[in-house]
Amino acid sequence: MSSNDGEIFEWKIIDKRQKSSGDWPDEPQESGNPRFRLGVLVSGSGSNLQALIDAIESKELPGVEIALVVSNNIDAYGLERAHKHSLQSMYLPWKHREESEAKLTTWLQLFHVDLIVLAGWMRILSANFLAQFPRRVINIHPALIPDDGTGSTYTTRDGTTIPVFRGLHAVQQALDAGVKVTGSTVHFVTPEVDAGPVICREEVAIQEGDTEESLHERLKALEHRLIVNAVRKLAS
Ligand code: GRF
């Protein structure tokens, strides 16, 4: 494979995803109304992206629009969701972080994105990348994080102290630890994984017999409200 193969593949994929052939996706149109523009990054099913799409379409997020959806995974259902709703969507291979982040930065700037939403985005973003978008990148994490994002414990509403579950498999980590309560958190992204200041958060009781799947499903239902609330808060 030549060093250009990745590029060529990428453009082909973009062709497939866009109505146009071989060019950049349609550039954003200037409108009279200043809008609060989201760039949503997904790696998987994109149910949180869908929650944002639904909230915008049902006018629960006035003045907010999704300018661009990006996925590092060509098979992400989130890309299909974007496509179904005629949103600009881009596949971004993530073989070399520096190169991919440089492209991502260009796209986010080209599309005048005000807020970057990591909605099930499974790649770690570097401190250099984040420094270009201060307080403009948010993430949804399926566990409880303390207000300032740091620390290794969290005190639940009933006064119980539980560990903070960060990184992959946070839902399973909560089950393995035998805690009675977990939750989901929307927070600003900092270079430390799942450790940024909290925007909003909600607790959920773990039920007898819960599996990672059943618990994650309940968490996602609340994430869909949380992410909309977080965007509303930041857009106002
Ligand atoms: C969510 O549970 C979120 O907390 C985590 O990844 C999951 C993404 O789900 N970061 P979806 O792709 O939005 O359905």
Side-chain angles (χ1 to χ4, degrees):
M1 278 194 12
S2 80
S3 59
N4 279 334
D5 284 353
E7 285 290 317
I8 292 161
F9 177 63
E10 182 186 340
W11 285 112
K12 276 190 193 150
I13 296 307
I14 289 168
D15 276 357
K16 200 178 102 184
R17 295 277 166 199
Q18 307 298 330
K19 300 123 317 214
S20 58
S21 58
D23 271 330
W24 286 90
D26 302 337
E27 282 209 35
Q29 301 299 308
E30 289 297 326
S31 88
N33 277 343
R35 312 275 295 173
F36 190 76
R37 297 169 63 82
L38 306 180
V40 185
L41 276 53
V42 300
S43 298
S45 101
S47 68
N48 282 286
L49 164 66
Q50 189 68 52
L52 289 169
I53 293 172
D54 293 345
I56 290 168
E57 289 185 353
S58 61
K59 313 223 179 307
E60 287 166 59
L61 284 175
V64 176
E65 67 189 351
I66 297 175
L68 181 64
V69 175
V70 176
S71 179
N72 65 304
N73 171 13
I74 185 63
D75 295 320
Y77 188 59
L79 283 179
E80 292 298 326
R81 295 182 195 268
H83 201 56
K84 277 187 195 153
H85 291 265
S86 305
L87 297 172
Q88 296 286 1
S89 57
M90 309 281 272
Y91 163 56
L92 177 60
W94 205 264
K95 277 190 228 143
H96 306 288
R97 183 165 78 173
E98 218 173 304
E99 277 173 31
S100 303
E101 285 186 341
K103 279 185 195 161
L104 185 55
T105 301
T106 304
W107 294 352
L108 293 167
Q109 288 168 348
L110 179 73
F111 282 82
H112 307 294
V113 164
D114 296 299
L115 183 70
I116 301 158
V117 181
L118 309 187
W121 172 255
M122 300 301 285
R123 290 290 175 268
I124 292 174
L125 297 167
S126 72
N128 281 345
F129 175 87
L130 293 171
Q132 298 176 91
F133 303 98
R135 285 254 168 178
R136 286 171 58 200
V137 188
I138 66 173
N139 179 48
I140 318 161
H141 182 62
L144 296 166
I145 297 176
D147 291 356
D148 70 355
T150 66
S152 57
T153 58
Y154 172 87
T155 305
T156 61
R157 277 202 311 266
D158 69 2
T160 310
T161 299
I162 61 169
V164 176
F165 305 109
R166 294 194 171 90
L168 293 175
H169 308 298
V171 179
Q172 186 62 48
Q173 287 181 50
L175 288 172
D176 292 345
V179 295
K180 300 269 179 292
V181 171
T182 188
S184 282
T185 307
V186 181
H187 64 93
F188 288 105
V189 176
T190 57
E192 297 74 36
V193 174
D194 304 327
V198 170
I199 300 158
C200 52
R201 174 181 59 207
E202 216 174 298
E203 295 183 5
V204 151
I206 296 183
Q207 292 168 6
E208 188 89 14
D210 253 337
T211 60
E212 184 179 15
E213 203 175 34
S214 66
L215 180 53
H216 204 165
E217 204 175 304
R218 283 210 307 292
L219 288 169
K220 279 198 185 188
L222 76 96
E223 286 177 357
H224 299 161
R225 290 198 308 273
L226 284 179
I227 193 61
V228 171
N229 289 341
V231 168
R232 186 180 296 114
K233 203 165 159 176
L234 297 173
S236 60

